[in-house]
Amino acid sequence: MDTILNTDVTSVINKAEIYCSQQGIDIDLVYKLPESVLEIISERSKELPTLYFVSVDLLRRRIKNGCFLLRRGDEIYGHIFAHEHHVKGRSVYERACLWVNRDFRNYNLGLLLMSRMTELFTESFLISIAQTPKVHYYNELLGMTHVTLAQMSTVLVEELEKLGKLRDELNYRYYVNPCFEAESKQLK
């Protein structure tokens, strides 16, 4: 994180892309994955305390919204999904299941994945729910705004509660993209 404190975020993302290119790692947007890969991701989410557990069935639904992968051949080095919530007839997408292989975590690949997903949903309501300070920092670098539960629509809070996504604000933070922030009153 210290390496990007005084650096332009675009430059950092470009360097991450160059690193991927040098390592032969592809950055792919996919809408379908083999069942065996979904099972690995699901198991990983169960084993890692920083990930919220995601069943294979839920991953099948999420992948329809898009998933960015970092991969070389059949080996996956990172991923991020989008989970769709429905609130008052609007779709609210949540960036979810961010993971980068431990051997590649010092190259800002998590930021790269978050950036790609944020760009994909520029014209949509996008939310990020995370507990890791590094992810909070990345959200801010990507132009997302921290919001409290009190600032959110009651309907959205209820939807997140149904899914078990509602967290305490001492340990988790919620960030929304500019589109969501500008139009959030529509969900009130």
PDB file of all heavy atoms in Angstrom, residues 2 17 37 49-50 52 55 71 79-80 92 103 111 114 121 126 128 143 146 151 178:
ATOM      1  N   ASP A   2       1.955   1.246   0.742  1.00  0.00           N
ATOM      2  CA  ASP A   2       2.826   2.421   0.813  1.00  0.00           C
ATOM      3  C   ASP A   2       3.368   2.815  -0.551  1.00  0.00           C
ATOM      4  O   ASP A   2       3.624   3.980  -0.789  1.00  0.00           O
ATOM      5  CB  ASP A   2       4.001   2.163   1.754  1.00  0.00           C
ATOM      6  CG  ASP A   2       3.532   1.991   3.188  1.00  0.00           C
ATOM      7  OD1 ASP A   2       2.463   2.522   3.530  1.00  0.00           O
ATOM      8  OD2 ASP A   2       4.241   1.314   3.954  1.00  0.00           O
ATOM      9  N   GLU A  17      -0.805  -3.991 -15.005  1.00  0.00           N
ATOM     10  CA  GLU A  17      -1.098  -4.595 -16.310  1.00  0.00           C
ATOM     11  C   GLU A  17       0.188  -5.037 -17.008  1.00  0.00           C
ATOM     12  O   GLU A  17       0.243  -6.126 -17.598  1.00  0.00           O
ATOM     13  CB  GLU A  17      -1.863  -3.610 -17.194  1.00  0.00           C
ATOM     14  CG  GLU A  17      -3.269  -3.355 -16.720  1.00  0.00           C
ATOM     15  CD  GLU A  17      -3.963  -2.217 -17.442  1.00  0.00           C
ATOM     16  OE1 GLU A  17      -3.280  -1.309 -17.982  1.00  0.00           O
ATOM     17  OE2 GLU A  17      -5.208  -2.217 -17.443  1.00  0.00           O
ATOM     18  N   VAL A  37     -14.006 -25.227 -11.328  1.00  0.00           N
ATOM     19  CA  VAL A  37     -13.381 -23.966 -10.921  1.00  0.00           C
ATOM     20  C   VAL A  37     -14.257 -23.260  -9.881  1.00  0.00           C
ATOM     21  O   VAL A  37     -13.761 -22.728  -8.890  1.00  0.00           O
ATOM     22  CB  VAL A  37     -13.133 -23.050 -12.143  1.00  0.00           C
ATOM     23  CG1 VAL A  37     -12.643 -21.678 -11.705  1.00  0.00           C
ATOM     24  CG2 VAL A  37     -12.127 -23.692 -13.089  1.00  0.00           C
ATOM     25  N   PRO A  49     -10.600 -16.497   6.140  1.00  0.00           N
ATOM     26  CA  PRO A  49     -11.445 -15.646   6.987  1.00  0.00           C
ATOM     27  C   PRO A  49     -11.735 -14.273   6.378  1.00  0.00           C
ATOM     28  O   PRO A  49     -12.710 -13.635   6.742  1.00  0.00           O
ATOM     29  CB  PRO A  49     -10.639 -15.512   8.288  1.00  0.00           C
ATOM     30  CG  PRO A  49      -9.241 -15.844   7.912  1.00  0.00           C
ATOM     31  CD  PRO A  49      -9.313 -16.779   6.746  1.00  0.00           C
ATOM     32  N   THR A  50     -10.916 -13.825   5.437  1.00  0.00           N
ATOM     33  CA  THR A  50     -11.140 -12.515   4.821  1.00  0.00           C
ATOM     34  C   THR A  50     -12.203 -12.557   3.722  1.00  0.00           C
ATOM     35  O   THR A  50     -12.635 -11.512   3.253  1.00  0.00           O
ATOM     36  CB  THR A  50      -9.836 -11.959   4.221  1.00  0.00           C
ATOM     37  OG1 THR A  50      -9.304 -12.914   3.305  1.00  0.00           O
ATOM     38  CG2 THR A  50      -8.831 -11.645   5.309  1.00  0.00           C
ATOM     39  N   TYR A  52     -16.013 -13.783   2.427  1.00  0.00           N
ATOM     40  CA  TYR A  52     -17.342 -14.178   2.849  1.00  0.00           C
ATOM     41  C   TYR A  52     -17.657 -15.494   2.131  1.00  0.00           C
ATOM     42  O   TYR A  52     -17.461 -15.593   0.921  1.00  0.00           O
ATOM     43  CB  TYR A  52     -18.337 -13.077   2.449  1.00  0.00           C
ATOM     44  CG  TYR A  52     -19.734 -13.314   2.902  1.00  0.00           C
ATOM     45  CD1 TYR A  52     -20.117 -13.026   4.203  1.00  0.00           C
ATOM     46  CD2 TYR A  52     -20.683 -13.821   2.030  1.00  0.00           C
ATOM     47  CE1 TYR A  52     -21.411 -13.235   4.634  1.00  0.00           C
ATOM     48  CE2 TYR A  52     -21.978 -14.039   2.448  1.00  0.00           C
ATOM     49  CZ  TYR A  52     -22.335 -13.747   3.742  1.00  0.00           C
ATOM     50  OH  TYR A  52     -23.614 -13.962   4.165  1.00  0.00           O
ATOM     51  N   SER A  55     -21.342 -20.128  -1.812  1.00  0.00           N
ATOM     52  CA  SER A  55     -21.645 -21.468  -2.323  1.00  0.00           C
ATOM     53  C   SER A  55     -21.463 -21.505  -3.838  1.00  0.00           C
ATOM     54  O   SER A  55     -21.459 -20.458  -4.504  1.00  0.00           O
ATOM     55  CB  SER A  55     -23.086 -21.849  -1.974  1.00  0.00           C
ATOM     56  OG  SER A  55     -23.985 -21.029  -2.706  1.00  0.00           O
ATOM     57  N   ARG A  71      -5.309 -15.143 -15.056  1.00  0.00           N
ATOM     58  CA  ARG A  71      -4.950 -16.542 -15.260  1.00  0.00           C
ATOM     59  C   ARG A  71      -3.881 -16.707 -16.330  1.00  0.00           C
ATOM     60  O   ARG A  71      -3.729 -15.901 -17.228  1.00  0.00           O
ATOM     61  CB  ARG A  71      -6.175 -17.376 -15.582  1.00  0.00           C
ATOM     62  CG  ARG A  71      -6.856 -17.069 -16.884  1.00  0.00           C
ATOM     63  CD  ARG A  71      -8.024 -18.004 -17.086  1.00  0.00           C
ATOM     64  NE  ARG A  71      -8.937 -17.498 -18.101  1.00  0.00           N
ATOM     65  CZ  ARG A  71     -10.075 -18.048 -18.395  1.00  0.00           C
ATOM     66  NH1 ARG A  71     -10.462 -19.120 -17.758  1.00  0.00           N
ATOM     67  NH2 ARG A  71     -10.844 -17.541 -19.321  1.00  0.00           N
ATOM     68  N   HIS A  79      -9.269 -13.309  -8.824  1.00  0.00           N
ATOM     69  CA  HIS A  79     -10.636 -13.161  -9.353  1.00  0.00           C
ATOM     70  C   HIS A  79     -11.419 -12.130  -8.571  1.00  0.00           C
ATOM     71  O   HIS A  79     -11.079 -11.798  -7.431  1.00  0.00           O
ATOM     72  CB  HIS A  79     -11.390 -14.495  -9.341  1.00  0.00           C
ATOM     73  CG  HIS A  79     -11.414 -15.210  -8.025  1.00  0.00           C
ATOM     74  ND1 HIS A  79     -12.102 -14.757  -6.916  1.00  0.00           N
ATOM     75  CD2 HIS A  79     -10.811 -16.362  -7.639  1.00  0.00           C
ATOM     76  CE1 HIS A  79     -11.946 -15.608  -5.919  1.00  0.00           C
ATOM     77  NE2 HIS A  79     -11.143 -16.593  -6.320  1.00  0.00           N
ATOM     78  N   ILE A  80     -12.430 -11.592  -9.222  1.00  0.00           N
ATOM     79  CA  ILE A  80     -13.411 -10.713  -8.594  1.00  0.00           C
ATOM     80  C   ILE A  80     -14.729 -10.912  -9.337  1.00  0.00           C
ATOM     81  O   ILE A  80     -14.742 -11.016 -10.560  1.00  0.00           O
ATOM     82  CB  ILE A  80     -12.957  -9.237  -8.596  1.00  0.00           C
ATOM     83  CG1 ILE A  80     -13.863  -8.388  -7.697  1.00  0.00           C
ATOM     84  CG2 ILE A  80     -12.878  -8.675  -9.996  1.00  0.00           C
ATOM     85  CD1 ILE A  80     -13.315  -6.988  -7.417  1.00  0.00           C
ATOM     86  N   VAL A  92     -28.473  -3.297  -8.068  1.00  0.00           N
ATOM     87  CA  VAL A  92     -27.314  -2.786  -7.338  1.00  0.00           C
ATOM     88  C   VAL A  92     -26.284  -3.905  -7.375  1.00  0.00           C
ATOM     89  O   VAL A  92     -26.550  -5.011  -6.916  1.00  0.00           O
ATOM     90  CB  VAL A  92     -27.665  -2.428  -5.875  1.00  0.00           C
ATOM     91  CG1 VAL A  92     -26.406  -2.014  -5.122  1.00  0.00           C
ATOM     92  CG2 VAL A  92     -28.714  -1.326  -5.828  1.00  0.00           C
ATOM     93  N   ASP A 103       1.374 -15.449  -3.828  1.00  0.00           N
ATOM     94  CA  ASP A 103       2.655 -15.192  -4.499  1.00  0.00           C
ATOM     95  C   ASP A 103       2.630 -13.951  -5.389  1.00  0.00           C
ATOM     96  O   ASP A 103       3.673 -13.503  -5.857  1.00  0.00           O
ATOM     97  CB  ASP A 103       3.062 -16.401  -5.343  1.00  0.00           C
ATOM     98  CG  ASP A 103       3.328 -17.632  -4.497  1.00  0.00           C
ATOM     99  OD1 ASP A 103       3.649 -17.480  -3.289  1.00  0.00           O
ATOM    100  OD2 ASP A 103       3.207 -18.754  -5.036  1.00  0.00           O
ATOM    101  N   LEU A 111      -5.955  -4.286  -6.820  1.00  0.00           N
ATOM    102  CA  LEU A 111      -6.396  -2.975  -7.300  1.00  0.00           C
ATOM    103  C   LEU A 111      -6.767  -3.055  -8.778  1.00  0.00           C
ATOM    104  O   LEU A 111      -7.774  -2.477  -9.204  1.00  0.00           O
ATOM    105  CB  LEU A 111      -5.308  -1.933  -7.071  1.00  0.00           C
ATOM    106  CG  LEU A 111      -5.595  -0.522  -7.597  1.00  0.00           C
ATOM    107  CD1 LEU A 111      -6.829   0.077  -6.931  1.00  0.00           C
ATOM    108  CD2 LEU A 111      -4.374   0.382  -7.391  1.00  0.00           C
ATOM    109  N   MET A 114     -10.155  -4.754  -9.010  1.00  0.00           N
ATOM    110  CA  MET A 114     -11.194  -3.835  -8.532  1.00  0.00           C
ATOM    111  C   MET A 114     -11.453  -2.734  -9.560  1.00  0.00           C
ATOM    112  O   MET A 114     -12.601  -2.366  -9.806  1.00  0.00           O
ATOM    113  CB  MET A 114     -10.774  -3.219  -7.193  1.00  0.00           C
ATOM    114  CG  MET A 114     -10.810  -4.186  -6.037  1.00  0.00           C
ATOM    115  SD  MET A 114     -10.116  -3.490  -4.508  1.00  0.00           S
ATOM    116  CE  MET A 114     -11.265  -2.167  -4.164  1.00  0.00           C
ATOM    117  N   PHE A 121     -18.956  -1.388 -14.319  1.00  0.00           N
ATOM    118  CA  PHE A 121     -20.238  -0.952 -13.762  1.00  0.00           C
ATOM    119  C   PHE A 121     -20.311   0.569 -13.547  1.00  0.00           C
ATOM    120  O   PHE A 121     -21.052   1.040 -12.695  1.00  0.00           O
ATOM    121  CB  PHE A 121     -20.521  -1.704 -12.453  1.00  0.00           C
ATOM    122  CG  PHE A 121     -20.863  -3.142 -12.703  1.00  0.00           C
ATOM    123  CD1 PHE A 121     -19.894  -4.124 -12.589  1.00  0.00           C
ATOM    124  CD2 PHE A 121     -22.135  -3.513 -13.085  1.00  0.00           C
ATOM    125  CE1 PHE A 121     -20.193  -5.452 -12.843  1.00  0.00           C
ATOM    126  CE2 PHE A 121     -22.455  -4.834 -13.350  1.00  0.00           C
ATOM    127  CZ  PHE A 121     -21.480  -5.806 -13.223  1.00  0.00           C
ATOM    128  N   LEU A 126     -23.001   0.539  -8.016  1.00  0.00           N
ATOM    129  CA  LEU A 126     -21.975  -0.399  -7.576  1.00  0.00           C
ATOM    130  C   LEU A 126     -21.643  -0.114  -6.116  1.00  0.00           C
ATOM    131  O   LEU A 126     -21.449   1.039  -5.730  1.00  0.00           O
ATOM    132  CB  LEU A 126     -20.705  -0.276  -8.422  1.00  0.00           C
ATOM    133  CG  LEU A 126     -19.566  -1.229  -8.081  1.00  0.00           C
ATOM    134  CD1 LEU A 126     -19.928  -2.672  -8.442  1.00  0.00           C
ATOM    135  CD2 LEU A 126     -18.289  -0.819  -8.802  1.00  0.00           C
ATOM    136  N   SER A 128     -19.290  -1.660  -2.628  1.00  0.00           N
ATOM    137  CA  SER A 128     -18.218  -2.519  -2.139  1.00  0.00           C
ATOM    138  C   SER A 128     -18.367  -2.605  -0.627  1.00  0.00           C
ATOM    139  O   SER A 128     -18.488  -1.581   0.043  1.00  0.00           O
ATOM    140  CB  SER A 128     -16.857  -1.929  -2.498  1.00  0.00           C
ATOM    141  OG  SER A 128     -15.813  -2.644  -1.868  1.00  0.00           O
ATOM    142  N   GLY A 143     -12.218   6.248  -6.684  1.00  0.00           N
ATOM    143  CA  GLY A 143     -13.269   7.259  -6.744  1.00  0.00           C
ATOM    144  C   GLY A 143     -14.574   6.870  -6.086  1.00  0.00           C
ATOM    145  O   GLY A 143     -15.600   7.520  -6.301  1.00  0.00           O
ATOM    146  N   HIS A 146     -17.218   6.510   0.747  1.00  0.00           N
ATOM    147  CA  HIS A 146     -17.632   5.787   1.947  1.00  0.00           C
ATOM    148  C   HIS A 146     -19.014   6.280   2.372  1.00  0.00           C
ATOM    149  O   HIS A 146     -19.257   7.486   2.434  1.00  0.00           O
ATOM    150  CB  HIS A 146     -16.616   6.022   3.065  1.00  0.00           C
ATOM    151  CG  HIS A 146     -17.022   5.446   4.373  1.00  0.00           C
ATOM    152  ND1 HIS A 146     -17.243   6.221   5.476  1.00  0.00           N
ATOM    153  CD2 HIS A 146     -17.280   4.172   4.751  1.00  0.00           C
ATOM    154  CE1 HIS A 146     -17.607   5.454   6.491  1.00  0.00           C
ATOM    155  NE2 HIS A 146     -17.635   4.210   6.070  1.00  0.00           N
ATOM    156  N   GLN A 151     -26.942   6.343   5.832  1.00  0.00           N
ATOM    157  CA  GLN A 151     -27.054   7.060   4.561  1.00  0.00           C
ATOM    158  C   GLN A 151     -27.671   6.193   3.465  1.00  0.00           C
ATOM    159  O   GLN A 151     -28.084   6.713   2.443  1.00  0.00           O
ATOM    160  CB  GLN A 151     -25.668   7.524   4.100  1.00  0.00           C
ATOM    161  CG  GLN A 151     -25.063   8.578   4.981  1.00  0.00           C
ATOM    162  CD  GLN A 151     -23.615   8.843   4.608  1.00  0.00           C
ATOM    163  OE1 GLN A 151     -22.764   7.965   4.676  1.00  0.00           O
ATOM    164  NE2 GLN A 151     -23.336  10.069   4.204  1.00  0.00           N
ATOM    165  N   PRO A 178     -19.699   6.683  -8.058  1.00  0.00           N
ATOM    166  CA  PRO A 178     -20.346   7.981  -8.283  1.00  0.00           C
ATOM    167  C   PRO A 178     -21.782   7.877  -8.800  1.00  0.00           C
ATOM    168  O   PRO A 178     -22.640   8.670  -8.402  1.00  0.00           O
ATOM    169  CB  PRO A 178     -19.433   8.663  -9.307  1.00  0.00           C
ATOM    170  CG  PRO A 178     -18.081   8.080  -9.036  1.00  0.00           C
ATOM    171  CD  PRO A 178     -18.359   6.635  -8.688  1.00  0.00           C
TER     172      PRO A 178
END
